[in-house]
Amino acid sequence: MSVSTGAEMSSRVLTVPNVISMVRLALVPVFAVLVVVGEDGWALLVLAVSGVSDWLDGVLARRLNQVTRLGQMLDPFADRLFIFVTLIGLAWREVVPLWLVLAIVARDVLLALTVPVLARLGYGTLNVTMVGKVATFALLYAFPLLLLAEMPGWVGAAAHVVGWAFTWWGVGLYWLAGLQYVAQVRRLVAAG
């Protein structure tokens, strides 16, 4: 059972990976504005930078031995925020249906309900599972592709097919990971 108690983490705030995560968070409103005003090319660039920074902060945290409590909270928060803002922007532009927004948000609400239970038991956040990482990866690649699908011609058509494939896999894995997290919490409650 994989639960982060925070004992093995550093409490440092100003580290290279944390700064990268903070920059990624700062890019969220930039991306939102770009999507709303229809600057899809720039929005895609911001998403690409966000995706690279997501990978980079994790690699640097491990290589530089700068894994921190803050980083372990910032990274998934930035991912979820980017996913949420991208979904809202794409739904506002009618690129994705409302049910997709509700499916993603409902899973995150379900997991948010486990936080007080974990806190009451004296645990920190649950460690991200491989299924959770793959789900986030799929969704973070699906949405730029769905935005790219708005382009006319074969590029848009190909992006539409691949984007929806990533979306379906991402949503399925996102919920599977969520159910795994809930099962972990249940085991902790039963053991505690």
Side-chain angles (χ1 to χ4, degrees):
M1 187 159 0
S2 181
V3 176
S4 172
T5 60
E8 67 279 9
M9 308 275 161
S10 165
S11 61
R12 291 178 56 199
V13 172
L14 195 56
T15 65
V16 172
N18 287 353
V19 169
I20 292 171
S21 290
M22 289 176 204
V23 168
R24 190 159 83 248
L25 278 170
L27 288 175
V28 172
V30 172
F31 171 77
V33 169
L34 291 171
V35 166
V36 167
V37 299
E39 291 289 339
D40 293 351
W42 288 108
L44 285 169
L45 179 63
V46 169
L47 278 178
V49 169
S50 172
V52 170
S53 71
D54 184 29
W55 168 81
L56 185 62
D57 68 7
V59 168
L60 290 176
R62 288 183 293 279
R63 287 206 180 140
L64 299 175
N65 198 25
Q66 294 183 350
V67 176
T68 66
R69 289 183 198 113
L70 179 62
Q72 291 229 318
M73 290 186 311
L74 272 181
D75 187 55
F77 178 72
D79 290 344
R80 284 190 184 93
L81 190 59
F82 245 111
I83 288 170
F84 179 72
V85 168
T86 303
L87 266 175
I88 296 300
L90 293 179
W92 184 79
R93 297 244 325 256
E94 298 181 352
V95 173
V96 299
L98 183 59
W99 67 260
L100 181 60
V101 177
L102 296 175
I104 299 292
V105 171
R107 183 268 195 183
D108 285 341
V109 167
L110 174 67
L111 291 188
L113 295 174
T114 68
V115 172
V117 175
L118 288 170
R120 186 171 31 93
L121 294 172
Y123 290 103
T125 58
L126 295 172
N127 289 332
V128 177
T129 65
M130 183 53 71
V131 174
K133 288 179 183 182
V134 172
T136 300
F137 170 85
L139 292 174
L140 288 175
Y141 280 84
F143 301 140
L145 287 167
L146 293 177
L147 189 56
L148 189 60
E150 294 297 293
M151 289 183 61
W154 69 270
V155 171
H160 179 82
V161 171
V162 177
W164 275 105
F166 270 106
T167 300
W168 282 108
W169 275 104
V171 169
L173 291 173
Y174 205 61
W175 268 95
L176 177 60
L179 295 175
Q180 288 176 334
Y181 295 136
V182 169
Q184 281 184 349
V185 172
R186 287 180 57 140
R187 284 192 297 270
L188 289 171
V189 167

